[in-house]
Amino acid sequence: QVQLQESGPGLVKPSQTLSLTCTVSGGSITTTDYYWFWIRQPPGKGLEWIGVLYYSGTTYYNPSLKSRASISRDTSKNQFTLQLSSVTPEDTAVYYCARLGMGPGTNNGMDYWGKGTLVTVSS
C-alpha cells in the first residue's frame, strides 16, 4: 500500500547541489516508529546509506557524507528531500528513498523502497 517516488534532475554539474524529493503515499512520514532513508548505489558498487529522517523530524547522517548532506521534510506534502552539496563525479549513483519500520505495529524491516533514480554528475 505504501509507495515512495523519487524525483529531481537526472544531471547536475560538479560543485553544484544535488536535490531529490521523495513523495510518500499510503502512509504518513510522521507516523510513530517509522524512519525514512536516503540510500545510493554508484555504478558497479554496493549500497551506501546517506542519511535518515525519523518520524519525529530528527535526522542522522553517514559520517562520510555528514558535512555535505541534509535531509528536510514537508509534512503538508508528505515529502522529504535530500540535498547533497559540492558534488563530484564520484556522487554519480542511483538514489533511493526507503522506509524502515521498527516497533510494535510495524513489520520491523525495510519494507518499502522507491524504484530509484539515476543522478549523473558531469559537466
Side-chain angles (χ1 to χ4, degrees), residues 74-95:
D74 185 337
T75 58
S76 69
K77 297 180 179 179
N78 210 35
Q79 296 177 331
F80 62 106
T81 297
L82 169 69
Q83 292 185 289
L84 186 67
S85 66
S86 303
V87 298
T88 75
E90 292 295 305
D91 294 309
T92 295
V94 176
Y95 285 75

Side-chain angles (χ1 to χ4, degrees), residues 2 11 13 15 21 23 59 69-71 74 80 82 84 92 116 119:
V2 177
L11 179 66
K13 297 182 182 299
S15 82
T21 295
T23 300
T59 56
S70 179
I71 298 172
D74 185 337
F80 62 106
L82 169 69
L84 186 67
T92 295
V119 180

Side-chain angles (χ1 to χ4, degrees), residues 42-63:
K45 298 182 179 180
L47 296 170
E48 178 184 37
W49 80 279
I50 300 166
V52 58
L53 167 72
Y54 282 30
Y55 60 91
S56 62
T58 301
T59 56
Y60 295 91
Y61 304 96
N62 186 328

Side-chain angles (χ1 to χ4, degrees), residues 24 27-36 53-57 73-76 78-80:
V24 179
S28 173
I29 62 173
T30 64
T31 297
T32 301
D33 291 342
Y34 289 100
Y35 306 82
W36 306 89
L53 167 72
Y54 282 30
Y55 60 91
S56 62
R73 68 179 183 176
D74 185 337
T75 58
S76 69
N78 210 35
Q79 296 177 331
F80 62 106

Side-chain angles (χ1 to χ4, degrees), residues 4-31:
L4 290 77
Q5 177 69 62
E6 304 91 347
S7 62
L11 179 66
V12 296
K13 297 182 182 299
S15 82
Q16 295 188 183
T17 296
L18 179 158
S19 183
L20 295 171
T21 295
C22 184
T23 300
V24 179
S25 62
S28 173
I29 62 173
T30 64
T31 297

